[in-house]
Amino acid sequence: MSAEEFEPNIVAFLCNWCSYAGADLAGTSRTQYLPNVKIIRVMCSGRVNPLFLVNALQQGADGVLISGCHPGDCHYMEGNYYARRRYTLMHKLLEHVGVDPGRVNMSWVSASEGAKFKDVVEDTVTKAKEAGPMEQFRRRRINW
Amino acid sequence: MDNLNRRPRIGVYICHCGINIGSVVDVPGLVEYASRLPGVVVAREYTYMCSDPGQNLVKEDIKNEGLNRVIVASCSPRMHEPTFRKTLKEAGLNPYYLEMANIREQCSWVHPDKEQATHKARKLVEAAVVKAMLLEALEEKEVDVIPACLVIGAGIAGIQASLDIADAGFKVYLVEKTPSVGGRMAQLDKTFPTLDCSACILTPKMVDVANHPNIELMSYSQLESIEGYVGNFKATVRKKARFVNFNTCTGCGVCAENCRLAGRIPNEFDENIGMRGAIYLPFPQAVPAKYTIDPERCLQLTKGKCGKEGPACAAACGPGSIDFEQEDELVEIEIGTVIVATGYDVFDCTRKPEYGWEDIDNVMTGLEFERLVSASGPTGGHVILGRDKKGEGGYEPKKVAFIHCVGSRDKSVGNEYCSRVCCMYLAKQAHLVRDKLPDADIAVFYMDVRAFGKGFEEFYDRVRREGVRYIRGNPSEIYRTGEDHTVVIKVEDTLTGTPMEYEADLVVLGVGLEPRRDVREIIDLFKLSQSTDGFFMEAHPKLRPVDTASDGVYLAGCCQGPKDIPDTVAQAKGAASSALILMAYGKVKVEALVSVVSPDECRGCGFCMEVCPFGAIELVDQNRMGNIVQVAQVNEALCKGCGSCAAACLSGAIQPRSFKDEQILPQIAVLGVRI
């Protein structure tokens, strides 16, 4: 697979109140963005168990994204702070075991930032493209 | 109907949403794809799933095909999840057996490439199917609603909402930051387009809120903290010390006359163009009519000493109401609903230095002009400028200019929006000048005139016929020439293309409305979202204009966005009725999506307890084969289902319902695969 053809697949965890709403706003404003990012809705970015990131990379995702409310704006007061700490730790750990740090991303997107969501998607995809296909953790697909 | 132990029988419904989805995503292909997914027994398409026939399709299939899981692939769950939950419930299925795939906002509206959009839609539907298999039936519990409402801000919005709720027989706590109720409307002179005297229509309502048996007015108070959930909030209100005994003060005003600083402190109510003392009543019609000592200015309070003989106010006060020892009081209240009506601030003209508001005395904001022209204002309603400190001398302006859109529709200051009231208040002010100074030359510089409301166009027309010149052009600069009062406005008349320099001796800036500068305090208390313009964001811009993302918290007035008085009153009535719905019914459904502990897997470490932002988790004793061990327990009334606990749990013993690890991992498995 050549670098031009490679279209990375990205799993995103968006919090229900800010980032998922921001992605909805990108939709209602017809902001076009890359289709590489597939969204899983969680109530709060604090819900994202860091192992979800590893799991996504194992399943074959080339990049992951966590997005929550801006610091201080969390619907549950402090969930995004927990998410940030866990993310930082997991980011370092994954880098340590040889995963390209560009695969693991986190952003703050509020409910009014549809345009920013597009930018975050583009940024995440660009970084994952640079990192190339994720092959390190591959395991056989589990049939649910 | 109990579906717990039965194999999943899934129905997938793909919505065309008119052509919103159907024109991009290959819906028949998607139906065909979905029908082959494991567990799916029915897959259908329909033009509008949310319509009655669409919902009936689901209901029929639940009955005839024995469906026990339903997937609707349509718009965002933030839009129609409640709708379809209700559909399931009506068909006798637990509403939490629903899963939605967002193929409109996340596919057809954002990916123009049909193939890519369809492919992504397939993945999203598949992820929904694998999650649906593992969904559980959840029970919605009802809790009692405390029949009391907290209203924050006593401007016209807060006053109207309080009166409506109180008249319906419910308790209202009306908290106002400043010493008097009335808000911005009390500062206005006349209202457009009817030219009602603002004070005359407002003051009776101000008196009503103070006297209403169901309203507890907490003026000069601030909300300190709030906790709890819809129906059951606990709030702490700080009643700031007035240093005046509230019960014995008669409001006679002798104290203010005797204050050593009388007439030397700019009065905020008069937009700092009038003066007050350190002990003051913001304006004569203030409610409650009780005096307040400004702790930042009072000599006794700041320096510990006032004159040789001690505080003159205390000496003059007949009932002996002055009390310098008074302290702030914290009051705890319990309420079921909250209405936020905190209002707005006008645009800060120092951010537009080219208009010279800071340096030139006779360039003033629209709100300052309201105080100048108001009969209760510092000049008694006479349009007189340049008075000395004793209120003598001064001159009447002969040429008056009004400037539209100062701090609105202006990207350079970061305000892209229209403030909705400036066009009309400037027209009204131009009329007032014409009324009071019949010989004055009046010019209005505008970008567009937006006279959209009832009677607005007629009023604008009337003002023009009164000899007010409307000149289309956005001034680039305002500056003073020589020694006299003349101010020059540099502008291009964009209709004729002529640059001109208009000389005036009074310039009124039509300042726009902005979110309050202390808006952060309320955001931090309630976790409200802001729109791009900084005003509070409503739950839905069209269909839920007074609700917020926090249940039981409603918005009224300009804190949600600029609006005029009738719109504010209408919204306040809307917010009041929303709060009343909860309180009149007396019960509210609480979040079913709460966390649940599997006690056998819990190791009692308490990590979940530490991260829970709501204190909803506690450790309790459990008898495990004769050994007493501690395990986590969730208080379902306090839990909001954020799931932070689950991410902290080492053994996975605590999980938020409908977002359990076992429900999310299959989604990851589907979406993670590149093909």
Side-chain angles (χ1 to χ4, degrees):
Chain A
M1 194 184 289
S2 74
E4 285 91 17
E5 284 169 9
F6 171 59
E7 283 297 336
N9 185 36
I10 288 149
V11 176
F13 300 90
L14 306 192
C15 83
N16 179 55
W17 305 99
C18 294
S19 297
Y20 196 90
D24 276 355
L25 181 65
T28 39
S29 345
R30 313 296 199 273
T31 310
Q32 293 175 6
Y33 59 84
L34 299 168
N36 308 49
V37 171
K38 319 234 162 38
I39 297 168
I40 293 178
R41 182 169 71 121
V42 287
M43 293 314 276
C44 176
S45 54
R47 165 66 187 102
V48 181
N49 191 321
L51 292 175
F52 289 174
L53 309 181
V54 181
N55 195 283
L57 295 173
Q58 276 179 334
Q59 300 290 353
D62 305 297
V64 284
L65 167 70
I66 306 175
S67 189
C69 308
H70 283 268
D73 290 351
C74 177
H75 184 75
Y76 304 103
M77 269 110 86
E78 44 204 50
N80 53 355
Y81 293 131
Y82 294 132
R84 180 164 65 181
R85 279 178 234 160
R86 288 171 190 145
Y87 162 77
T88 312
L89 197 61
M90 189 44 89
H91 193 259
K92 277 188 186 157
L93 185 69
L94 287 172
E95 195 178 350
H96 186 74
V97 299
V99 175
D100 191 306
R103 296 190 193 282
V104 190
N105 298 281
M106 183 163 192
S107 67
W108 313 123
V109 174
S110 82
S112 58
E113 293 177 330
K116 184 178 174 187
F117 182 71
K118 172 200 163 92
D119 295 343
V120 167
V121 166
E122 269 164 20
D123 182 52
T124 313
V125 172
T126 311
K127 283 197 211 155
K129 267 190 186 165
E130 281 167 13
M134 174 72 192
E135 306 287 359
Q136 285 142 306
F137 289 175
R138 267 300 167 82
R139 68 173 182 193
R140 285 185 58 199
R141 191 183 168 194
I142 306 161
N143 223 346
W144 290 93
Chain B
M1 203 199 296
D2 178 28
N3 294 290
L4 268 179
N5 300 316
R6 285 172 42 195
R7 284 174 60 91
R9 290 180 64 82
I10 303 174
V12 181
Y13 298 87
I14 320 278
C15 181
H16 285 256
C17 193
I19 58 163
N20 281 309
I21 294 171
S23 65
V24 182
V25 173
D26 170 19
V27 175
L30 194 56
V31 171
E32 151 71 14
Y33 180 80
S35 65
R36 284 185 278 118
L37 291 171
V40 175
V41 290
V42 187
R44 293 187 201 280
E45 57 187 289
Y46 192 71
T47 332
Y48 288 106
M49 278 311 297
C50 55
S51 67
D52 240 17
Q55 293 188 47
N56 284 336
L57 217 59
V58 179
K59 288 185 201 168
E60 291 296 314
D61 284 349
I62 291 173
K63 281 200 190 94
N64 301 334
E65 305 284 340
L67 297 185
N68 53 19
R69 303 285 190 281
V70 174
I71 316 277
V72 181
S74 56
C75 49
S76 170
R78 291 172 54 86
M79 176 89 193
H80 270 316
E81 197 173 59
T83 315
F84 293 113
R85 286 238 162 100
K86 223 170 123 214
T87 313
L88 266 64
K89 203 173 173 189
E90 282 165 10
L93 196 62
N94 187 290
Y96 290 88
Y97 281 134
L98 170 80
E99 184 63 26
M100 290 186 74
N102 186 351
I103 61 167
R104 190 179 73 177
E105 277 85 344
Q106 290 178 14
C107 292
S108 67
W109 274 356
V110 288
H111 307 318
D113 185 295
K114 290 184 181 181
E115 204 173 309
Q116 286 178 336
T118 306
H119 178 259
K120 188 171 168 188
R122 278 186 197 161
K123 297 299 264 181
L124 294 180
V125 169
E126 193 182 341
V129 168
V130 293
K131 181 175 180 185
M133 290 204 204
L134 295 148
L135 285 176
E136 297 166 316
L138 304 182
E139 210 186 313
E140 284 178 331
K141 289 188 182 143
E142 280 191 335
V143 295
D144 289 339
V145 175
I146 297 171
C149 180
L150 167 66
V151 180
I152 305 165
I156 181 61
I159 289 174
Q160 186 61 52
S162 300
L163 286 174
D164 281 9
I165 293 171
D167 283 345
F170 293 92
K171 177 89 186 166
V172 176
Y173 297 94
L174 177 57
V175 175
E176 165 61 36
K177 201 174 193 174
T178 68
S180 171
V181 302
R184 294 286 179 205
M185 186 175 167
Q187 290 180 284
L188 308 181
D189 178 46
K190 298 262 191 317
T191 58
F192 62 79
T194 48
L195 297 175
D196 287 305
C197 153
S198 182
C200 315
I201 54 178
L202 179 66
T203 38
K205 282 184 186 286
M206 288 163 60
V207 175
D208 282 353
V209 285
N211 294 339
H212 203 293
N214 286 338
I215 299 179
E216 186 169 331
L217 175 60
M218 300 163 113
S219 57
Y220 206 47
S221 300
Q222 245 175 306
L223 184 64
E224 192 86 354
S225 69
I226 184 149
E227 56 185 52
Y229 51 93
V230 54
N232 295 272
F233 293 105
K234 268 200 188 77
T236 310
V237 178
R238 177 180 293 274
K239 281 188 159 176
K240 291 183 278 188
R242 284 176 186 261
F243 303 102
V244 170
N245 185 322
F246 191 85
N247 297 322
T248 57
C249 173
T250 59
C252 65
V254 178
C255 52
E257 287 165 17
N258 283 282
C259 177
R260 292 202 161 82
L261 295 177
R264 289 163 70 178
I265 301 170
N267 188 357
E268 302 82 359
F269 182 82
D270 284 332
E271 290 295 304
N272 301 331
I273 61 173
M275 294 294 175
R276 61 168 170 87
I279 185 164
Y280 66 106
L281 197 64
F283 56 107
Q285 302 82 12
V287 172
K290 307 284 180 183
Y291 277 75
T292 307
I293 295 181
D294 182 347
E296 280 163 21
R297 303 305 290 265
C298 171
L299 295 171
Q300 182 69 25
L301 289 170
T302 51
K303 301 203 162 61
K305 189 166 174 273
C306 174
K308 276 181 189 151
E309 313 84 46
C313 53
C317 181
S321 301
I322 314 282
D323 175 8
F324 288 106
E325 304 300 314
Q326 210 178 62
E327 283 179 3
D328 290 4
E329 194 188 336
L330 291 176
V331 184
E332 292 205 347
I333 54 175
E334 293 189 346
I335 58 261
T337 53
V338 180
I339 293 176
V340 177
T342 48
Y344 64 93
D345 272 335
V346 294
F347 174 71
D348 174 11
C349 292
T350 56
R351 279 158 58 200
K352 222 160 160 56
E354 62 270 33
Y355 283 177
W357 172 78
E358 232 179 335
D359 309 316
I360 311 173
D361 291 342
N362 42 355
V363 175
M364 52 170 59
T365 67
L367 201 53
E368 288 169 344
F369 184 78
E370 287 292 336
R371 293 315 301 153
L372 182 75
V373 82
S374 163
S376 67
T379 59
H382 299 288
V383 185
I384 294 178
L385 297 162
R387 277 191 167 178
D388 61 19
K389 278 185 179 165
K390 287 179 187 155
E392 285 158 16
Y395 62 95
E396 281 189 348
K398 295 195 171 54
K399 292 183 85 179
V400 184
F402 292 91
I403 295 168
H404 275 223
C405 298
V406 179
S408 315
R409 306 175 66 198
D410 185 349
K411 281 186 189 169
S412 68
V413 296
N415 292 347
E416 220 179 319
Y417 57 87
C418 165
S419 289
R420 292 173 57 103
V421 294
C422 325
C423 286
M424 293 314 292
Y425 83 61
L426 289 180
K428 173 204 73 184
Q429 290 177 346
H431 166 82
L432 292 178
V433 173
R434 171 58 71 239
D435 208 28
K436 298 195 179 201
L437 308 169
D439 302 325
D441 181 74
I442 308 171
V444 180
F445 296 93
Y446 70 100
M447 289 208 273
D448 298 291
V449 174
R450 298 183 166 178
F452 53 84
K454 192 174 179 181
F456 286 11
E457 186 65 33
E458 295 90 323
F459 184 76
Y460 165 51
D461 202 45
R462 167 184 168 181
V463 171
R464 272 192 309 179
R465 274 188 279 112
E466 284 170 351
V468 172
R469 281 197 294 154
Y470 271 74
I471 301 167
R472 189 166 181 274
N474 200 5
S476 58
E477 199 183 352
I478 297 173
Y479 57 91
R480 183 168 248 174
T481 46
E483 293 302 306
D484 65 345
H485 314 294
T486 309
V487 175
V488 180
I489 300 170
K490 234 177 141 169
V491 63
E492 182 192 332
D493 183 336
T494 52
L495 289 182
T496 58
T498 3
M500 60 189 286
E501 290 188 344
Y502 183 85
E503 291 188 353
D505 44 14
L506 169 60
V507 179
V508 178
L509 305 178
V511 284
L513 276 44
E514 282 193 328
R516 284 184 66 94
R517 314 228 198 288
D518 54 9
V519 69
R520 203 69 235 172
E521 291 173 19
I522 296 292
I523 291 176
D524 288 343
L525 284 167
F526 290 100
K527 297 293 156 199
L528 295 177
S529 313
Q530 287 170 287
S531 319
T532 325
D533 52 17
F535 291 98
F536 293 142
M537 189 151 82
E538 58 286 346
H540 188 280
K542 307 227 166 27
L543 303 178
R544 297 179 65 195
V546 303
D547 306 59
T548 66
S550 306
D551 289 341
V553 180
Y554 305 97
L555 301 173
C558 290
C559 64
Q560 182 259 338
K563 48 181 75 70
D564 62 2
I565 295 167
D567 284 2
T568 296
V569 171
Q571 199 186 17
K573 284 179 161 289
S577 105
S578 296
L580 279 172
I581 290 169
L582 282 180
M583 296 194 289
Y585 182 60
K587 285 186 186 301
V588 64
K589 285 199 178 76
V590 290
E591 194 57 83
L593 302 176
V594 293
S595 284
V596 56
V597 181
S598 158
D600 291 346
E601 289 164 33
C602 177
R603 60 183 209 134
C605 64
F607 285 179
C608 51
M609 204 168 77
E610 277 174 38
V611 300
C612 179
F614 307 102
I617 306 172
E618 52 184 354
L619 290 176
V620 294
D621 288 341
Q622 195 205 20
N623 186 336
R624 201 176 273 172
M625 321 265 277
N627 297 321
I628 303 296
V629 293
Q630 290 215 303
V631 293
Q633 193 178 56
V634 177
N635 179 339
E636 296 195 352
L638 291 177
C639 177
K640 299 208 167 141
C642 68
S644 276
C645 49
C649 182
L650 298 181
S651 58
I654 189 162
Q655 295 285 332
R657 290 188 158 128
S658 281
F659 292 93
K660 293 184 169 180
D661 285 355
E662 67 202 47
Q663 291 159 337
I664 292 178
L665 290 173
Q667 286 183 289
I668 299 177
V670 168
L671 298 179
V673 179
R674 199 178 299 143
I675 317 122

